[in-house]
């Protein structure tokens, strides 16, 4: 009888949570996210997908005055998030299973997540984000511009970038418009999207 394998929906981060917390450079990402957040109205509601322990992205959004919701598939990272941000709603779930996507948001951030997901799940997340955005809402995610696979430095698991051409097709199909792209100090590539 064939053995069924189940995908670790934390993408290996439950096993390396402590190491991730110690290794995550809090200076990489906040400046770009802060600049992106200026496209949102004051007091907007933002979902941080794969929020980890909340530093630095959730922290940056809270400091900018937004109401933030978080979702992450690692129970250890969610526990650390709750210690730091006890009043922020957080769900321990894989992005594709999150109940928060049934709500409506002014902005959604998926920093450092997309490429960790299997190629068939990435379009699912983009579609769910598009559906959860209010008209005029903004979406930010990071992924390489090139089609490339590599092993994640912390988990050793395969990471997959579908490449700019494929992402742009998925985004168009989801009804999102690319309004900008950027690189940050850590050489992360950002897609900035708007929902008409």
């Amino acid at each position: 009888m064939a053995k069924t394998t189940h995908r670790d929906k934390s993408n290996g981060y439950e096993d390396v949570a402590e190491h991730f917390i110690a290794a995550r450079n809090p200076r990489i990402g906040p400046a770009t996210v802060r600049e992106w957040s200026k496209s949102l109205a004051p007091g907007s509601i933002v979902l941080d997908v794969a929020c980890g322990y909340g530093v630095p992205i959730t922290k940056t959004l809270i400091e900018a005055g937004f109401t933030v919701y978080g979702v992450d598939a690692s129970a250890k990272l969610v526990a650390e998030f709750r210690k730091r941000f006890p009043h922020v709603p957080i769900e321990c779930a894989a992005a594709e299973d999150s109940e928060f996507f049934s709500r409506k948001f002014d902005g959604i951030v998926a920093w450092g997540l997309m490429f960790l997901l299997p190629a068939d799940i990435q379009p699912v997340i983009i579609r769910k984000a598009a559906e959860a955005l209010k008209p005029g809402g903004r979406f930010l995610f990071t992924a390489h511009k090139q089609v490339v696979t590599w092993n994640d430095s912390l988990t050793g698991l395969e990471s997959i970038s579908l490449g700019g051409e494929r992402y742009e097709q998925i985004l168009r199909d989801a009804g999102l418009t690319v309004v900008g792209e950027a690189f940050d100090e850590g050489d992360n590539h950002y897609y900035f999207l708007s929902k008409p």
Side-chain angles (χ1 to χ4, degrees):
M1 181 178 265
K3 185 179 176 181
T4 303
T5 59
H6 296 283
R7 179 174 79 85
D8 169 13
K9 291 191 176 183
S10 80
N11 304 299
Y13 276 75
E14 178 70 5
D15 291 337
V16 300
E18 293 87 357
H19 184 61
F20 171 69
I21 292 168
R24 174 68 168 100
N25 185 337
R27 292 185 302 276
I28 296 176
T32 306
V33 169
R34 196 174 301 112
E35 187 61 31
W36 166 81
S37 74
K38 291 177 183 176
S39 67
L40 300 172
S44 286
I45 301 171
V46 181
L47 175 62
D48 186 357
V49 184
C51 60
Y53 66 108
V55 179
I57 305 304
T58 298
K59 182 176 185 284
T60 299
L61 293 166
I62 291 169
E63 288 171 351
F66 300 114
T67 299
V68 182
Y69 287 71
V71 60
D72 199 278
S74 164
K76 290 177 185 174
L77 292 175
V78 167
E80 290 298 320
F81 182 104
R82 286 186 172 127
K83 287 180 193 175
R84 288 166 175 80
F85 309 102
H87 302 296
V88 175
I90 184 166
E91 178 187 20
C92 186
E96 65 269 27
D97 300 330
S98 176
E99 292 293 322
F100 285 153
F101 281 121
S102 65
R103 296 174 171 262
K104 292 295 182 186
F105 296 94
D106 301 295
I108 297 176
V109 174
W111 198 99
L113 168 69
M114 205 64 70
F115 48 82
L116 296 176
L117 300 170
D120 61 328
I121 300 295
Q122 294 184 41
V124 171
I125 300 304
I126 291 170
R127 188 179 67 252
K128 284 180 172 265
E131 291 169 357
L133 282 174
K134 295 176 184 175
R138 302 293 180 142
F139 178 35
L140 171 159
F141 74 90
T142 55
H144 287 285
K145 187 84 170 160
Q146 305 79 19
V147 177
V148 62
T149 60
W150 70 99
N151 290 340
D152 182 77
S153 61
L154 290 179
T155 66
L157 298 176
E158 184 178 70
S159 292
I160 304 164
S161 169
L162 305 180
E165 190 175 309
R166 178 71 181 120
Y167 285 126
E168 288 171 22
Q169 181 62 55
I170 294 165
L171 293 162
R172 277 193 303 272
D173 291 348
L176 297 171
T177 303
V178 177
V179 294
E181 296 180 49
F183 286 92
D184 68 14
E185 54 279 294
D187 206 29
N188 297 293
H189 178 257
Y190 292 75
Y191 291 91
F192 304 117
L193 301 315
S194 177
K195 180 176 180 175

PDB file of all heavy atoms in Angstrom, residues 101-134:
ATOM      1  N   PHE A 101      -9.655  35.158   4.909  1.00  0.00           N
ATOM      2  CA  PHE A 101      -9.940  35.526   3.527  1.00  0.00           C
ATOM      3  C   PHE A 101     -11.438  35.667   3.256  1.00  0.00           C
ATOM      4  O   PHE A 101     -11.837  36.129   2.193  1.00  0.00           O
ATOM      5  CB  PHE A 101      -9.306  34.529   2.546  1.00  0.00           C
ATOM      6  CG  PHE A 101      -7.830  34.762   2.339  1.00  0.00           C
ATOM      7  CD1 PHE A 101      -6.912  33.765   2.629  1.00  0.00           C
ATOM      8  CD2 PHE A 101      -7.361  35.966   1.835  1.00  0.00           C
ATOM      9  CE1 PHE A 101      -5.549  33.965   2.430  1.00  0.00           C
ATOM     10  CE2 PHE A 101      -6.003  36.189   1.628  1.00  0.00           C
ATOM     11  CZ  PHE A 101      -5.098  35.189   1.928  1.00  0.00           C
ATOM     12  N   SER A 102     -12.270  35.313   4.227  1.00  0.00           N
ATOM     13  CA  SER A 102     -13.709  35.536   4.066  1.00  0.00           C
ATOM     14  C   SER A 102     -14.089  36.967   4.469  1.00  0.00           C
ATOM     15  O   SER A 102     -15.220  37.386   4.268  1.00  0.00           O
ATOM     16  CB  SER A 102     -14.502  34.537   4.904  1.00  0.00           C
ATOM     17  OG  SER A 102     -14.275  34.754   6.283  1.00  0.00           O
ATOM     18  N   ARG A 103     -13.141  37.717   5.025  1.00  0.00           N
ATOM     19  CA  ARG A 103     -13.351  39.118   5.395  1.00  0.00           C
ATOM     20  C   ARG A 103     -12.952  40.020   4.232  1.00  0.00           C
ATOM     21  O   ARG A 103     -12.469  39.542   3.214  1.00  0.00           O
ATOM     22  CB  ARG A 103     -12.506  39.477   6.623  1.00  0.00           C
ATOM     23  CG  ARG A 103     -12.894  38.711   7.868  1.00  0.00           C
ATOM     24  CD  ARG A 103     -11.907  39.023   8.993  1.00  0.00           C
ATOM     25  NE  ARG A 103     -12.363  38.472  10.246  1.00  0.00           N
ATOM     26  CZ  ARG A 103     -13.013  39.164  11.177  1.00  0.00           C
ATOM     27  NH1 ARG A 103     -13.290  40.437  10.981  1.00  0.00           N
ATOM     28  NH2 ARG A 103     -13.394  38.590  12.297  1.00  0.00           N
ATOM     29  N   LYS A 104     -13.084  41.326   4.419  1.00  0.00           N
ATOM     30  CA  LYS A 104     -12.656  42.303   3.420  1.00  0.00           C
ATOM     31  C   LYS A 104     -11.566  43.186   4.028  1.00  0.00           C
ATOM     32  O   LYS A 104     -11.673  43.612   5.187  1.00  0.00           O
ATOM     33  CB  LYS A 104     -13.821  43.171   2.941  1.00  0.00           C
ATOM     34  CG  LYS A 104     -14.848  42.397   2.129  1.00  0.00           C
ATOM     35  CD  LYS A 104     -14.251  41.894   0.812  1.00  0.00           C
ATOM     36  CE  LYS A 104     -15.294  41.157  -0.019  1.00  0.00           C
ATOM     37  NZ  LYS A 104     -14.713  40.553  -1.210  1.00  0.00           N
ATOM     38  N   PHE A 105     -10.531  43.440   3.234  1.00  0.00           N
ATOM     39  CA  PHE A 105      -9.392  44.224   3.692  1.00  0.00           C
ATOM     40  C   PHE A 105      -9.074  45.351   2.726  1.00  0.00           C
ATOM     41  O   PHE A 105      -9.318  45.245   1.521  1.00  0.00           O
ATOM     42  CB  PHE A 105      -8.161  43.313   3.836  1.00  0.00           C
ATOM     43  CG  PHE A 105      -8.312  42.261   4.889  1.00  0.00           C
ATOM     44  CD1 PHE A 105      -8.769  40.987   4.554  1.00  0.00           C
ATOM     45  CD2 PHE A 105      -8.035  42.535   6.211  1.00  0.00           C
ATOM     46  CE1 PHE A 105      -8.936  40.013   5.521  1.00  0.00           C
ATOM     47  CE2 PHE A 105      -8.197  41.571   7.189  1.00  0.00           C
ATOM     48  CZ  PHE A 105      -8.645  40.302   6.852  1.00  0.00           C
ATOM     49  N   ASP A 106      -8.485  46.407   3.276  1.00  0.00           N
ATOM     50  CA  ASP A 106      -7.999  47.514   2.453  1.00  0.00           C
ATOM     51  C   ASP A 106      -6.628  47.177   1.864  1.00  0.00           C
ATOM     52  O   ASP A 106      -6.263  47.676   0.799  1.00  0.00           O
ATOM     53  CB  ASP A 106      -7.881  48.786   3.296  1.00  0.00           C
ATOM     54  CG  ASP A 106      -9.212  49.183   3.913  1.00  0.00           C
ATOM     55  OD1 ASP A 106     -10.130  49.511   3.144  1.00  0.00           O
ATOM     56  OD2 ASP A 106      -9.329  49.143   5.153  1.00  0.00           O
ATOM     57  N   GLY A 107      -5.885  46.353   2.579  1.00  0.00           N
ATOM     58  CA  GLY A 107      -4.561  45.964   2.123  1.00  0.00           C
ATOM     59  C   GLY A 107      -4.215  44.557   2.580  1.00  0.00           C
ATOM     60  O   GLY A 107      -4.690  44.105   3.634  1.00  0.00           O
ATOM     61  N   ILE A 108      -3.409  43.877   1.792  1.00  0.00           N
ATOM     62  CA  ILE A 108      -2.931  42.536   2.143  1.00  0.00           C
ATOM     63  C   ILE A 108      -1.452  42.472   1.812  1.00  0.00           C
ATOM     64  O   ILE A 108      -1.025  42.911   0.740  1.00  0.00           O
ATOM     65  CB  ILE A 108      -3.702  41.433   1.382  1.00  0.00           C
ATOM     66  CG1 ILE A 108      -5.185  41.457   1.765  1.00  0.00           C
ATOM     67  CG2 ILE A 108      -3.090  40.044   1.662  1.00  0.00           C
ATOM     68  CD1 ILE A 108      -6.062  40.480   1.001  1.00  0.00           C
ATOM     69  N   VAL A 109      -0.674  41.930   2.747  1.00  0.00           N
ATOM     70  CA  VAL A 109       0.764  41.763   2.577  1.00  0.00           C
ATOM     71  C   VAL A 109       1.098  40.277   2.684  1.00  0.00           C
ATOM     72  O   VAL A 109       0.633  39.599   3.607  1.00  0.00           O
ATOM     73  CB  VAL A 109       1.542  42.530   3.673  1.00  0.00           C
ATOM     74  CG1 VAL A 109       3.027  42.248   3.599  1.00  0.00           C
ATOM     75  CG2 VAL A 109       1.273  44.015   3.590  1.00  0.00           C
ATOM     76  N   ALA A 110       1.895  39.786   1.751  1.00  0.00           N
ATOM     77  CA  ALA A 110       2.412  38.405   1.827  1.00  0.00           C
ATOM     78  C   ALA A 110       3.923  38.491   1.587  1.00  0.00           C
ATOM     79  O   ALA A 110       4.417  38.251   0.497  1.00  0.00           O
ATOM     80  CB  ALA A 110       1.741  37.507   0.800  1.00  0.00           C
ATOM     81  N   TRP A 111       4.634  38.877   2.632  1.00  0.00           N
ATOM     82  CA  TRP A 111       6.080  39.090   2.556  1.00  0.00           C
ATOM     83  C   TRP A 111       6.792  37.762   2.831  1.00  0.00           C
ATOM     84  O   TRP A 111       6.613  37.166   3.880  1.00  0.00           O
ATOM     85  CB  TRP A 111       6.509  40.141   3.583  1.00  0.00           C
ATOM     86  CG  TRP A 111       7.853  40.737   3.330  1.00  0.00           C
ATOM     87  CD1 TRP A 111       8.108  41.937   2.737  1.00  0.00           C
ATOM     88  CD2 TRP A 111       9.131  40.191   3.669  1.00  0.00           C
ATOM     89  NE1 TRP A 111       9.459  42.156   2.664  1.00  0.00           N
ATOM     90  CE2 TRP A 111      10.111  41.092   3.237  1.00  0.00           C
ATOM     91  CE3 TRP A 111       9.547  39.010   4.274  1.00  0.00           C
ATOM     92  CZ2 TRP A 111      11.472  40.873   3.398  1.00  0.00           C
ATOM     93  CZ3 TRP A 111      10.894  38.774   4.433  1.00  0.00           C
ATOM     94  CH2 TRP A 111      11.841  39.706   4.005  1.00  0.00           C
ATOM     95  N   GLY A 112       7.605  37.319   1.878  1.00  0.00           N
ATOM     96  CA  GLY A 112       8.413  36.120   2.088  1.00  0.00           C
ATOM     97  C   GLY A 112       7.630  34.824   2.097  1.00  0.00           C
ATOM     98  O   GLY A 112       8.108  33.811   2.613  1.00  0.00           O
ATOM     99  N   LEU A 113       6.445  34.820   1.520  1.00  0.00           N
ATOM    100  CA  LEU A 113       5.617  33.613   1.533  1.00  0.00           C
ATOM    101  C   LEU A 113       5.501  32.925   0.184  1.00  0.00           C
ATOM    102  O   LEU A 113       5.695  31.721   0.082  1.00  0.00           O
ATOM    103  CB  LEU A 113       4.195  33.938   2.016  1.00  0.00           C
ATOM    104  CG  LEU A 113       3.166  32.815   1.791  1.00  0.00           C
ATOM    105  CD1 LEU A 113       3.456  31.624   2.697  1.00  0.00           C
ATOM    106  CD2 LEU A 113       1.757  33.315   1.964  1.00  0.00           C
ATOM    107  N   MET A 114       5.145  33.675  -0.847  1.00  0.00           N
ATOM    108  CA  MET A 114       4.669  33.087  -2.101  1.00  0.00           C
ATOM    109  C   MET A 114       5.573  31.960  -2.602  1.00  0.00           C
ATOM    110  O   MET A 114       5.107  30.870  -2.925  1.00  0.00           O
ATOM    111  CB  MET A 114       4.516  34.174  -3.164  1.00  0.00           C
ATOM    112  CG  MET A 114       3.531  33.834  -4.228  1.00  0.00           C
ATOM    113  SD  MET A 114       1.821  33.663  -3.651  1.00  0.00           S
ATOM    114  CE  MET A 114       1.413  35.350  -3.251  1.00  0.00           C
ATOM    115  N   PHE A 115       6.863  32.201  -2.654  1.00  0.00           N
ATOM    116  CA  PHE A 115       7.797  31.231  -3.229  1.00  0.00           C
ATOM    117  C   PHE A 115       8.013  30.005  -2.351  1.00  0.00           C
ATOM    118  O   PHE A 115       8.566  29.005  -2.798  1.00  0.00           O
ATOM    119  CB  PHE A 115       9.145  31.896  -3.544  1.00  0.00           C
ATOM    120  CG  PHE A 115       9.681  32.722  -2.404  1.00  0.00           C
ATOM    121  CD1 PHE A 115      10.364  32.145  -1.354  1.00  0.00           C
ATOM    122  CD2 PHE A 115       9.481  34.097  -2.396  1.00  0.00           C
ATOM    123  CE1 PHE A 115      10.835  32.905  -0.308  1.00  0.00           C
ATOM    124  CE2 PHE A 115       9.964  34.871  -1.359  1.00  0.00           C
ATOM    125  CZ  PHE A 115      10.650  34.280  -0.307  1.00  0.00           C
ATOM    126  N   LEU A 116       7.573  30.058  -1.091  1.00  0.00           N
ATOM    127  CA  LEU A 116       7.676  28.882  -0.218  1.00  0.00           C
ATOM    128  C   LEU A 116       6.587  27.862  -0.537  1.00  0.00           C
ATOM    129  O   LEU A 116       6.687  26.700  -0.170  1.00  0.00           O
ATOM    130  CB  LEU A 116       7.552  29.283   1.255  1.00  0.00           C
ATOM    131  CG  LEU A 116       8.646  30.178   1.829  1.00  0.00           C
ATOM    132  CD1 LEU A 116       8.313  30.561   3.258  1.00  0.00           C
ATOM    133  CD2 LEU A 116      10.007  29.512   1.740  1.00  0.00           C
ATOM    134  N   LEU A 117       5.541  28.329  -1.212  1.00  0.00           N
ATOM    135  CA  LEU A 117       4.380  27.490  -1.492  1.00  0.00           C
ATOM    136  C   LEU A 117       4.574  26.681  -2.769  1.00  0.00           C
ATOM    137  O   LEU A 117       5.272  27.122  -3.687  1.00  0.00           O
ATOM    138  CB  LEU A 117       3.141  28.374  -1.653  1.00  0.00           C
ATOM    139  CG  LEU A 117       2.780  29.232  -0.448  1.00  0.00           C
ATOM    140  CD1 LEU A 117       1.693  30.221  -0.816  1.00  0.00           C
ATOM    141  CD2 LEU A 117       2.360  28.366   0.731  1.00  0.00           C
ATOM    142  N   PRO A 118       3.932  25.514  -2.864  1.00  0.00           N
ATOM    143  CA  PRO A 118       3.955  24.761  -4.123  1.00  0.00           C
ATOM    144  C   PRO A 118       3.394  25.614  -5.267  1.00  0.00           C
ATOM    145  O   PRO A 118       2.556  26.496  -5.046  1.00  0.00           O
ATOM    146  CB  PRO A 118       3.049  23.556  -3.842  1.00  0.00           C
ATOM    147  CG  PRO A 118       3.045  23.413  -2.350  1.00  0.00           C
ATOM    148  CD  PRO A 118       3.170  24.808  -1.810  1.00  0.00           C
ATOM    149  N   ALA A 119       3.847  25.331  -6.472  1.00  0.00           N
ATOM    150  CA  ALA A 119       3.444  26.129  -7.643  1.00  0.00           C
ATOM    151  C   ALA A 119       1.935  26.170  -7.837  1.00  0.00           C
ATOM    152  O   ALA A 119       1.398  27.181  -8.302  1.00  0.00           O
ATOM    153  CB  ALA A 119       4.136  25.587  -8.895  1.00  0.00           C
ATOM    154  N   ASP A 120       1.223  25.105  -7.468  1.00  0.00           N
ATOM    155  CA  ASP A 120      -0.228  25.095  -7.675  1.00  0.00           C
ATOM    156  C   ASP A 120      -0.990  25.852  -6.588  1.00  0.00           C
ATOM    157  O   ASP A 120      -2.159  26.207  -6.776  1.00  0.00           O
ATOM    158  CB  ASP A 120      -0.746  23.653  -7.778  1.00  0.00           C
ATOM    159  CG  ASP A 120      -0.496  22.835  -6.522  1.00  0.00           C
ATOM    160  OD1 ASP A 120       0.529  23.066  -5.831  1.00  0.00           O
ATOM    161  OD2 ASP A 120      -1.314  21.959  -6.204  1.00  0.00           O
ATOM    162  N   ILE A 121      -0.346  26.134  -5.454  1.00  0.00           N
ATOM    163  CA  ILE A 121      -0.998  26.860  -4.360  1.00  0.00           C
ATOM    164  C   ILE A 121      -0.816  28.374  -4.523  1.00  0.00           C
ATOM    165  O   ILE A 121      -1.672  29.157  -4.104  1.00  0.00           O
ATOM    166  CB  ILE A 121      -0.446  26.397  -2.990  1.00  0.00           C
ATOM    167  CG1 ILE A 121      -0.692  24.905  -2.788  1.00  0.00           C
ATOM    168  CG2 ILE A 121      -1.057  27.197  -1.842  1.00  0.00           C
ATOM    169  CD1 ILE A 121      -2.141  24.505  -2.707  1.00  0.00           C
ATOM    170  N   GLN A 122       0.266  28.800  -5.155  1.00  0.00           N
ATOM    171  CA  GLN A 122       0.523  30.234  -5.294  1.00  0.00           C
ATOM    172  C   GLN A 122      -0.631  30.984  -5.974  1.00  0.00           C
ATOM    173  O   GLN A 122      -1.085  32.015  -5.459  1.00  0.00           O
ATOM    174  CB  GLN A 122       1.848  30.464  -6.024  1.00  0.00           C
ATOM    175  CG  GLN A 122       3.043  29.988  -5.210  1.00  0.00           C
ATOM    176  CD  GLN A 122       4.371  30.288  -5.882  1.00  0.00           C
ATOM    177  OE1 GLN A 122       4.572  31.355  -6.457  1.00  0.00           O
ATOM    178  NE2 GLN A 122       5.294  29.343  -5.812  1.00  0.00           N
ATOM    179  N   PRO A 123      -1.167  30.476  -7.108  1.00  0.00           N
ATOM    180  CA  PRO A 123      -2.311  31.172  -7.711  1.00  0.00           C
ATOM    181  C   PRO A 123      -3.551  31.194  -6.807  1.00  0.00           C
ATOM    182  O   PRO A 123      -4.345  32.139  -6.866  1.00  0.00           O
ATOM    183  CB  PRO A 123      -2.592  30.379  -8.992  1.00  0.00           C
ATOM    184  CG  PRO A 123      -1.335  29.643  -9.286  1.00  0.00           C
ATOM    185  CD  PRO A 123      -0.717  29.359  -7.944  1.00  0.00           C
ATOM    186  N   VAL A 124      -3.699  30.180  -5.975  1.00  0.00           N
ATOM    187  CA  VAL A 124      -4.828  30.121  -5.045  1.00  0.00           C
ATOM    188  C   VAL A 124      -4.749  31.292  -4.069  1.00  0.00           C
ATOM    189  O   VAL A 124      -5.755  31.974  -3.800  1.00  0.00           O
ATOM    190  CB  VAL A 124      -4.855  28.771  -4.281  1.00  0.00           C
ATOM    191  CG1 VAL A 124      -5.891  28.780  -3.170  1.00  0.00           C
ATOM    192  CG2 VAL A 124      -5.091  27.623  -5.245  1.00  0.00           C
ATOM    193  N   ILE A 125      -3.556  31.542  -3.537  1.00  0.00           N
ATOM    194  CA  ILE A 125      -3.372  32.640  -2.582  1.00  0.00           C
ATOM    195  C   ILE A 125      -3.642  33.978  -3.257  1.00  0.00           C
ATOM    196  O   ILE A 125      -4.305  34.854  -2.691  1.00  0.00           O
ATOM    197  CB  ILE A 125      -1.950  32.610  -1.980  1.00  0.00           C
ATOM    198  CG1 ILE A 125      -1.699  31.284  -1.256  1.00  0.00           C
ATOM    199  CG2 ILE A 125      -1.728  33.802  -1.045  1.00  0.00           C
ATOM    200  CD1 ILE A 125      -2.690  30.938  -0.181  1.00  0.00           C
ATOM    201  N   ILE A 126      -3.140  34.146  -4.473  1.00  0.00           N
ATOM    202  CA  ILE A 126      -3.362  35.402  -5.193  1.00  0.00           C
ATOM    203  C   ILE A 126      -4.852  35.613  -5.437  1.00  0.00           C
ATOM    204  O   ILE A 126      -5.379  36.712  -5.226  1.00  0.00           O
ATOM    205  CB  ILE A 126      -2.552  35.417  -6.507  1.00  0.00           C
ATOM    206  CG1 ILE A 126      -1.050  35.509  -6.185  1.00  0.00           C
ATOM    207  CG2 ILE A 126      -2.998  36.566  -7.408  1.00  0.00           C
ATOM    208  CD1 ILE A 126      -0.123  35.300  -7.362  1.00  0.00           C
ATOM    209  N   ARG A 127      -5.551  34.572  -5.850  1.00  0.00           N
ATOM    210  CA  ARG A 127      -6.990  34.691  -6.088  1.00  0.00           C
ATOM    211  C   ARG A 127      -7.742  35.021  -4.791  1.00  0.00           C
ATOM    212  O   ARG A 127      -8.624  35.880  -4.775  1.00  0.00           O
ATOM    213  CB  ARG A 127      -7.532  33.406  -6.716  1.00  0.00           C
ATOM    214  CG  ARG A 127      -8.998  33.538  -7.164  1.00  0.00           C
ATOM    215  CD  ARG A 127      -9.533  32.285  -7.817  1.00  0.00           C
ATOM    216  NE  ARG A 127      -9.625  31.180  -6.871  1.00  0.00           N
ATOM    217  CZ  ARG A 127      -8.818  30.111  -6.854  1.00  0.00           C
ATOM    218  NH1 ARG A 127      -7.858  29.982  -7.752  1.00  0.00           N
ATOM    219  NH2 ARG A 127      -8.963  29.161  -5.952  1.00  0.00           N
ATOM    220  N   LYS A 128      -7.379  34.347  -3.699  1.00  0.00           N
ATOM    221  CA  LYS A 128      -8.043  34.607  -2.420  1.00  0.00           C
ATOM    222  C   LYS A 128      -7.784  36.041  -1.960  1.00  0.00           C
ATOM    223  O   LYS A 128      -8.687  36.705  -1.433  1.00  0.00           O
ATOM    224  CB  LYS A 128      -7.572  33.604  -1.361  1.00  0.00           C
ATOM    225  CG  LYS A 128      -8.188  32.225  -1.518  1.00  0.00           C
ATOM    226  CD  LYS A 128      -7.677  31.272  -0.445  1.00  0.00           C
ATOM    227  CE  LYS A 128      -8.427  29.962  -0.489  1.00  0.00           C
ATOM    228  NZ  LYS A 128      -9.538  29.895   0.444  1.00  0.00           N
ATOM    229  N   ALA A 129      -6.563  36.514  -2.153  1.00  0.00           N
ATOM    230  CA  ALA A 129      -6.238  37.891  -1.778  1.00  0.00           C
ATOM    231  C   ALA A 129      -7.071  38.869  -2.602  1.00  0.00           C
ATOM    232  O   ALA A 129      -7.644  39.825  -2.062  1.00  0.00           O
ATOM    233  CB  ALA A 129      -4.746  38.154  -1.970  1.00  0.00           C
ATOM    234  N   ALA A 130      -7.171  38.620  -3.906  1.00  0.00           N
ATOM    235  CA  ALA A 130      -7.951  39.507  -4.775  1.00  0.00           C
ATOM    236  C   ALA A 130      -9.410  39.551  -4.333  1.00  0.00           C
ATOM    237  O   ALA A 130     -10.027  40.627  -4.293  1.00  0.00           O
ATOM    238  CB  ALA A 130      -7.841  39.042  -6.230  1.00  0.00           C
ATOM    239  N   GLU A 131      -9.953  38.401  -3.989  1.00  0.00           N
ATOM    240  CA  GLU A 131     -11.353  38.338  -3.564  1.00  0.00           C
ATOM    241  C   GLU A 131     -11.575  39.025  -2.221  1.00  0.00           C
ATOM    242  O   GLU A 131     -12.652  39.574  -1.967  1.00  0.00           O
ATOM    243  CB  GLU A 131     -11.812  36.879  -3.494  1.00  0.00           C
ATOM    244  CG  GLU A 131     -11.916  36.223  -4.872  1.00  0.00           C
ATOM    245  CD  GLU A 131     -12.103  34.708  -4.814  1.00  0.00           C
ATOM    246  OE1 GLU A 131     -12.103  34.131  -3.696  1.00  0.00           O
ATOM    247  OE2 GLU A 131     -12.241  34.104  -5.894  1.00  0.00           O
ATOM    248  N   ALA A 132     -10.556  39.014  -1.352  1.00  0.00           N
ATOM    249  CA  ALA A 132     -10.693  39.596  -0.014  1.00  0.00           C
ATOM    250  C   ALA A 132     -10.419  41.099   0.012  1.00  0.00           C
ATOM    251  O   ALA A 132     -10.696  41.756   1.011  1.00  0.00           O
ATOM    252  CB  ALA A 132      -9.758  38.883   0.967  1.00  0.00           C
ATOM    253  N   LEU A 133      -9.885  41.637  -1.067  1.00  0.00           N
ATOM    254  CA  LEU A 133      -9.617  43.076  -1.110  1.00  0.00           C
ATOM    255  C   LEU A 133     -10.887  43.853  -1.421  1.00  0.00           C
ATOM    256  O   LEU A 133     -11.681  43.467  -2.281  1.00  0.00           O
ATOM    257  CB  LEU A 133      -8.575  43.404  -2.176  1.00  0.00           C
ATOM    258  CG  LEU A 133      -7.118  43.141  -1.835  1.00  0.00           C
ATOM    259  CD1 LEU A 133      -6.252  43.390  -3.067  1.00  0.00           C
ATOM    260  CD2 LEU A 133      -6.644  43.992  -0.666  1.00  0.00           C
ATOM    261  N   LYS A 134     -11.055  44.975  -0.743  1.00  0.00           N
ATOM    262  CA  LYS A 134     -12.126  45.905  -1.084  1.00  0.00           C
ATOM    263  C   LYS A 134     -11.770  46.572  -2.413  1.00  0.00           C
ATOM    264  O   LYS A 134     -10.597  46.617  -2.797  1.00  0.00           O
ATOM    265  CB  LYS A 134     -12.236  46.983   0.002  1.00  0.00           C
ATOM    266  CG  LYS A 134     -12.645  46.464   1.358  1.00  0.00           C
ATOM    267  CD  LYS A 134     -12.624  47.600   2.370  1.00  0.00           C
ATOM    268  CE  LYS A 134     -12.929  47.108   3.779  1.00  0.00           C
ATOM    269  NZ  LYS A 134     -12.797  48.187   4.777  1.00  0.00           N
TER     270      LYS A 134
END
